[in-house]
Amino acid sequence: MSTHSTSPSGKMWGGRFADTTAASVEEFSASIHYDSRLYHHDIMGSKAHARMLARQGLISDEERDAILQGLSEIEGEIDRGEFVFKPELEDVHMNIESALTARIGPAGAKLHTARSRNDQVNLDFRLYLRDEVDVLDELLCETQKAFARQARKYLGAVMPGYTHLQRAQPVLLSHHLLAYVEMFQRDRQRLADCRVRINIMPLGAAAMAGTGLPIDRQSVAEELGFSAITANSMDTTGDRDFALEVLFCLNLIQLHLSRLSEELVLWSSKEFDFIRIGDRYCTGSSIMPQKKNPDIPELIRGKTGRVTGALVALLMTVKGLPLTYNRDLQEDKEQVFDALDTVKSSLAITTELLENTQFNVQRLQEATVGGFMTATDLADYLVRRNMPFRQAHGVVGRIVALCQERGCELTELPLAELQEFSGLIEPDVFDILSVDGSVHSRQSDGGTSRVRVEEALHSVENALGITP
Ligand code: ARG
């Protein structure tokens, strides 16, 4: 219970209340069991606010110093796990302010001058998410490095590229791995873009209409490293777009991890046998002694559901809210925290998993045989000899049908027989019908030929600051 309240309700806001709050209401509305994780950013924001209040003559320098000292002590206690959060004080903001006033007396009661929890919570959340976005960027960078190292290690290895999960065209394994580097690069760009809108300072919107007291919002923004202040106090207190944007970014990251996980699950099956995941990253079966299961990628794939759930939940929370702050908005934090924890742990373990995965180069190579994967190359060969592409497609289709009938590969048809389909076919056709010839030929920008992939790998390594 708040020590400086004289109201029967015992609350810091209880002046007009004649009765105590029902225990069920306290329990139902408290957020301290999850928003306590904002304490560091709450204290950072309060310190900047107190310094501004002193600069503006709204509190004395002595009061400011007592507040700063008290907040530092409270932060130390929380860091060390000594601070007792009280559910009856609802949230992190009230718990800290109440402890401050208990500690330093009347100066503590001045901290909330020209401030409301409505702008305070918005500030805390932005400060917190700004740091989390930076952590995510580092984690994404580490995942990219793991992909780049594998791409370097297996440079030259060939594998089937798939469409519709059917063997389509031969590619370099490194090309496939570098595709994920691109996906995670877009995730990093998206986060950086979203950070621009997180990094706007909301304090001073107060309850929702601004304040009549002579505050200086710009100086608070500068002290806390924000690039600007929000423009409209009503928009500010009701705005959670920045949290929704973070959730969307988290969703695409998890989606990319999920697609990778699906491939790892497939590739580690006997049917594919493309990879061996290290024993330390697999689990066994409680009944089947022979089993080695890819539970980690399965769990990452499975956790995608809750990350998407978090986004949809917050979208629905905000939908239909009238301006400005409504208590519904307290539902924002748990969703975002859960999604952040899930994505961060998924990224970290994906990096470890990749570092502990071996590719079965021989098996990958064998899988490029069978399936007529160089059929497109044969069509391109005819096109280079001036046959219209549609006609070439038809010719090669008939050649494939013949091979299928005979149960042989394109390379196994004698030249004379190939020439019956088109007089344009000459002995050099066998160069392009081979897997290596096919890969080598794909030198278009962004293609899978060795020269293009080496260029791409080189530029990725440079960007990530890793040396092969
Ligand atoms: N715990 C609240 C939240 O997370 C803080 C703001 C409360 N504001 C209010 N007017 N009750 O949204």
Side-chain angles (χ1 to χ4, degrees):
M1 210 166 267
S2 151
T3 48
H4 60 280
S5 171
T6 50
S7 86
S9 81
K11 299 295 183 195
M12 294 169 82
W13 39 254
R16 60 107 69 211
F17 287 77
D19 206 348
T20 55
T21 312
S24 56
V25 168
E26 283 184 342
E27 199 187 321
F28 188 74
S29 58
S31 54
I32 189 61
H33 52 289
Y34 54 85
D35 69 16
S36 60
R37 78 156 87 180
L38 294 175
Y39 78 91
H40 171 69
H41 298 94
D42 188 72
I43 286 171
M44 184 193 293
S46 286
K47 284 183 170 177
H49 183 63
R51 289 196 188 96
M52 182 277 290
L53 291 177
R55 280 196 300 276
Q56 298 301 104
L58 289 163
I59 60 173
S60 70
D61 286 357
E62 293 72 39
E63 286 167 331
R64 174 200 61 202
D65 292 342
I67 289 172
L68 296 181
Q69 174 69 23
L71 287 173
S72 292
E73 287 169 17
I74 290 169
E75 186 168 26
E77 281 181 18
I78 304 176
D79 285 343
R80 293 188 299 274
E82 292 163 13
F83 188 88
V84 182
F85 287 105
K86 299 178 185 152
E88 65 272 23
L89 290 172
E90 276 181 42
D91 57 25
V92 65
H93 325 293
M94 297 283 224
N95 267 273
I96 290 174
E97 192 192 322
S98 165
L100 180 71
T101 305
R103 185 177 295 254
I104 67 169
K110 289 196 174 181
L111 174 61
H112 213 50
T113 303
R115 184 175 77 168
S116 154
R117 276 185 296 157
N118 298 350
D119 57 347
Q120 184 181 358
V121 70
N122 197 297
L123 174 71
D124 294 3
F125 210 14
R126 286 173 186 265
L127 286 170
Y128 176 83
L129 289 178
R130 195 173 67 178
D131 283 349
E132 288 295 295
V133 161
D134 294 344
V135 171
L136 281 166
D137 187 69
E138 280 167 35
L139 287 166
L140 283 162
C141 181
E142 289 307 312
T143 309
Q144 287 180 310
K145 284 181 188 171
F147 273 105
R149 289 201 185 98
Q150 293 285 41
R152 171 63 66 188
K153 179 172 168 195
Y154 291 104
L155 191 60
V158 290
M159 68 177 289
Y162 295 83
T163 64
H164 313 266
L165 201 55
Q166 308 289 322
R167 289 179 187 172
Q169 290 170 336
V171 293
L172 291 185
L173 167 59
S174 303
H175 196 49
H176 193 129
L177 295 171
L178 289 175
Y180 282 99
V181 174
E182 293 303 313
M183 288 149 86
F184 293 124
Q185 189 61 23
R186 289 195 297 276
D187 291 331
R188 294 178 66 186
Q189 290 165 351
R190 235 183 316 273
L191 282 169
D193 184 50
C194 151
R195 194 186 191 284
V196 171
R197 281 175 297 282
I198 293 174
N199 203 28
I200 312 285
M201 212 287 295
L203 209 63
M208 60 101 184
T211 173
L213 296 166
I215 58 169
D216 177 2
R217 299 184 63 204
Q218 197 61 52
S219 70
V220 177
E222 278 159 28
E223 181 176 335
L224 292 172
F226 284 100
S227 64
I229 58 174
T230 58
N232 180 304
S233 62
M234 295 185 77
D235 171 48
T236 300
T237 51
D239 173 30
R240 291 296 180 276
D241 291 1
F242 59 95
L244 284 164
E245 281 193 57
V246 169
L247 278 175
F248 179 71
C249 292
L250 290 172
N251 265 274
L252 279 197
I253 296 170
Q254 193 71 20
L255 204 81
H256 292 153
L257 291 175
S258 184
R259 295 182 70 175
L260 169 69
S261 296
E262 169 68 9
E263 297 202 314
L264 296 177
V265 170
L266 284 172
W267 291 355
S268 62
S269 70
K270 200 76 222 145
E271 283 67 17
F272 277 82
D273 199 20
F274 285 179
I275 57 169
R276 296 272 142 82
I277 301 175
D279 278 3
R280 271 157 50 79
Y281 292 87
C282 290
T283 48
S285 157
S286 55
I287 177 167
M288 296 169 283
Q290 85 285 9
K291 289 299 288 290
K292 175 173 161 185
N293 297 327
D295 291 36
I296 297 306
E298 290 174 277
L299 277 168
I300 293 170
R301 194 177 57 188
K303 284 174 190 287
T304 309
R306 66 198 277 173
V307 179
T308 300
L311 172 62
V312 175
L314 187 55
L315 283 168
M316 289 305 102
T317 293
V318 176
K319 170 191 175 294
L321 288 187
L323 292 183
T324 54
Y325 178 82
N326 300 269
R327 191 65 181 269
D328 315 45
L329 291 175
Q330 180 171 291
E331 289 292 306
D332 57 357
K333 283 171 281 298
E334 266 177 306
Q335 302 296 344
V336 174
F337 293 161
D338 185 71
L340 275 169
D341 293 347
T342 305
V343 173
K344 285 194 297 182
S345 60
S346 299
L347 272 172
I349 202 153
T350 295
T351 303
E352 281 185 54
L353 192 83
L354 281 172
E355 284 163 353
N356 288 279
T357 295
Q358 301 245 343
F359 286 83
N360 186 348
V361 175
Q362 195 191 329
R363 175 69 199 130
L364 287 164
Q365 158 87 48
E366 283 163 13
T368 60
V369 180
F372 315 111
M373 282 202 296
T374 53
T376 316
D377 300 87
L378 182 51
D380 287 349
Y381 174 93
L382 295 171
V383 165
R384 274 195 291 273
R385 280 162 177 67
N386 223 10
M387 185 183 286
F389 179 75
R390 278 292 153 227
Q391 190 186 335
H393 189 286
V395 167
V396 178
R398 287 190 290 281
I399 296 176
V400 166
L402 176 69
C403 286
Q404 216 143 21
E405 207 178 288
R406 296 248 182 102
C408 74
E409 289 300 309
L410 287 171
T411 43
E412 288 163 2
L413 284 183
L415 180 63
E417 249 180 297
L418 283 168
Q419 285 171 333
E420 280 172 29
F421 288 91
S422 166
L424 296 173
I425 296 178
E426 291 177 60
D428 63 353
V429 74
F430 292 105
D431 298 341
I432 62 100
L433 284 180
S434 73
V435 166
D436 287 342
S438 165
V439 170
H440 178 72
S441 76
R442 304 207 180 274
Q443 298 191 10
S444 56
D445 293 330
T448 194
S449 70
R450 171 104 181 206
V451 293
R452 290 291 97 86
V453 171
E454 263 184 77
E455 274 169 17
L457 180 55
H458 198 68
S459 96
V460 160
E461 285 168 342
N462 267 343
L464 295 172
I466 52 175
T467 38

